[in-house]
């Protein structure tokens, strides 16, 4: 799309969408600014709910760190639907910001974490068998409102029930999942894919260390700090990622980026924890050439839009 500003400046304009708490972008995202500038692309951080922004003045609007949307998802989805040239697109945002998409992926044959869903107005009793479980809302970002509970501990059982009640009382859908203990040793693997001339392509992988140490005790910031290191993806992990991406509604050609988060299951095979298509950290600072690959992905989508 051509606009007045572009033709005057002679360079395409790109908005990197963030939130008020990260008005200057997440440090990792700032790494793409120089590679974009080197390609003649003018990029700037823009807060998604700033009412004064003219989104039509940008040639591409790239969702990055809009991590405060979880408690007002309806507003965020409506905003996404109003923005021209948004990537990833509004239809993807609508589907991906509610983790009930995991049920769809599971039904399509993707190995996913077993999940019990508790809707607003419903009650939940901890299962009789002991074990560790994770409780979190179906709409969340940055591991907010997420806790880990050892049901062999009577206090944890009470806290788990209270956590579910706290979410359902505020009309939120709750997820209850078995805790995958392999995360304590192997960590979580995130596989990053970026758009290229031939479609979405694998870029790099990282390891996230275990984050959930116990029950959720209330707000502790916009997101939980992660322990990140570079990692080499295995063929089994790449196979699960490809299987996951093959069933994304609308296909992957529309996507600028995606992140596939995996943890080994009880048998050691990788299991999908989350498919991040809306505002994932891309960890471009942990892989040689990744900032350039992200800039190329932006340039690719700009070229498609003419």
């Amino acid at each position: 799309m051509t606009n007045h500003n572009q033709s005057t400046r002679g360079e395409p304009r790109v908005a990197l969408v963030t939130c008020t708490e990260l008005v200057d972008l997440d440090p990792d995202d700032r790494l793409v600014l120089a590679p974009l500038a080197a390609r003649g692309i003018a990029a700037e951080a823009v807060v998604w709910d700033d009412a004064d922004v003219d989104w039509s003045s940008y040639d591409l609007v790239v969702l990055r760190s809009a991590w405060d949307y979880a408690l007002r998802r309806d507003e965020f989805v409506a905003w996404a639907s109003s923005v021209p040239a948004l990537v990833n697109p509004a239809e993807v945002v609508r589907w991906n910001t509610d983790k009930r998409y995991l049920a769809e992926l599971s039904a399509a044959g993707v190995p996913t974490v077993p999940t019990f869903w508790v809707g607003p107005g419903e009650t939940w009793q901890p299962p009789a068998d002991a074990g560790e479980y994770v409780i979190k809302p179906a709409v969340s970002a940055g591991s907010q409102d997420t806790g880990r509970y050892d049901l062999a501990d009577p206090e944890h059982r009470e806290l788990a029930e209270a956590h579910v009640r706290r979410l359902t009382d505020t009309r939120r859908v709750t997820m209850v999942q078995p805790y995958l203990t392999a995360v304590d040793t192997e960590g979580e693997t995130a596989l990053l894919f970026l758009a290229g001339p031939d479609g979405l392509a694998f870029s790099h992988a990282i390891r996230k260390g275990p984050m959930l140490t116990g029950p959720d005790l209330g707000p502790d910031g916009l997101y939980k700090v992660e322990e990140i290191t570079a990692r080499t993806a295995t063929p089994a992990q790449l196979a699960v990622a490809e299987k996951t991406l093959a069933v994304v509604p609308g296909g992957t050609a529309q996507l600028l980026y995606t992140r596939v988060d995996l943890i080994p299951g009880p048998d050691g095979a990788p299991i999908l924890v989350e498919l991040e298509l809306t505002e994932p950290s891309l960890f471009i600072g942990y892989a040689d050439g990744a900032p350039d690959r992200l800039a190329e992905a932006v340039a690719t989508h700009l070229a498609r839009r003419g």
Side-chain angles (χ1 to χ4, degrees):
M1 182 181 74
T2 303
N3 60 58
H4 177 72
N5 286 341
Q6 178 184 347
S7 59
T8 300
R9 294 162 58 96
E11 57 187 12
R13 299 180 70 226
V14 171
L16 301 177
V17 179
T18 186
C19 59
T20 303
E21 291 87 339
L22 292 167
V23 69
D24 293 321
L25 298 175
D26 181 70
D28 192 68
D29 285 330
R30 288 201 289 270
L31 298 176
V32 78
L33 295 175
L36 286 172
R39 289 162 173 79
I41 298 169
E44 57 188 276
V46 190
V47 174
W48 74 270
D49 56 353
D50 183 343
D52 295 328
V53 176
D54 176 11
W55 296 103
S56 66
S57 70
Y58 295 97
D59 299 282
L60 199 66
V61 178
V62 180
L63 281 165
R64 288 310 316 122
S65 47
W67 295 335
D68 61 352
Y69 75 86
L71 293 180
R72 44 190 178 132
R73 174 179 173 264
D74 289 348
E75 179 186 347
F76 183 66
V77 170
W79 165 82
S81 299
S82 74
V83 176
L86 183 71
V87 285
N88 289 332
E91 295 77 14
V92 171
V93 170
R94 183 179 297 107
W95 179 76
N96 187 240
T97 48
D98 186 325
K99 292 182 177 63
R100 282 177 285 186
Y101 69 75
L102 287 170
E104 293 182 41
L105 295 179
S106 178
V110 176
T112 60
V113 183
T115 304
F116 183 78
W117 307 90
V118 188
E122 297 178 350
T123 57
W124 174 76
Q125 294 289 325
D129 60 309
E132 289 192 281
Y133 286 80
V134 173
I135 294 172
K136 59 186 174 182
V139 179
S140 67
S143 297
Q144 295 172 311
D145 299 309
T146 299
R148 170 183 173 182
Y149 300 89
D150 181 356
L151 298 186
D153 181 332
E155 182 182 2
H156 273 224
R157 293 180 75 87
E158 291 183 11
L159 289 171
E161 288 186 78
H163 188 170
V164 173
R165 281 198 305 273
R166 185 166 69 249
L167 295 176
T168 56
D169 284 351
T170 52
R171 311 298 299 168
R172 302 172 80 181
V173 174
T174 303
M175 309 166 63
V176 181
Q177 301 172 322
Y179 183 77
L180 299 177
T181 56
V183 75
D184 292 330
T185 52
E186 296 298 316
E188 180 176 327
T189 301
L191 279 66
L192 289 305
F193 293 77
L194 299 172
D198 299 319
L200 206 61
F202 175 69
S203 170
H204 60 286
I206 58 95
R207 176 193 185 273
K208 290 195 282 184
M211 294 172 56
L212 300 179
T213 57
D216 175 55
L217 301 176
D220 56 0
L222 187 63
Y223 57 90
K224 293 184 179 178
V225 176
E226 298 171 320
E227 174 198 319
I228 307 298
T229 52
R231 167 165 274 179
T232 300
T234 67
Q237 291 168 339
L238 288 166
V240 172
E242 295 291 353
K243 188 170 188 176
T244 303
L245 295 175
V247 293
V248 170
T252 59
Q254 63 186 326
L255 305 178
L256 177 72
Y257 52 68
T258 186
R259 196 182 86 203
V260 181
D261 293 343
L262 306 170
I263 294 176
D267 64 354
I271 292 179
L272 179 72
V273 181
E274 288 189 16
L275 171 64
E276 298 273 11
L277 303 177
T278 302
E279 33 56 53
S281 294
L282 298 176
F283 305 114
I284 57 175
Y286 292 86
D288 290 343
D292 275 299
R293 288 192 290 275
L294 180 55
E296 273 300 301
V298 171
T300 295
H301 273 261
L302 282 168
R304 289 179 190 172
R305 294 179 180 273

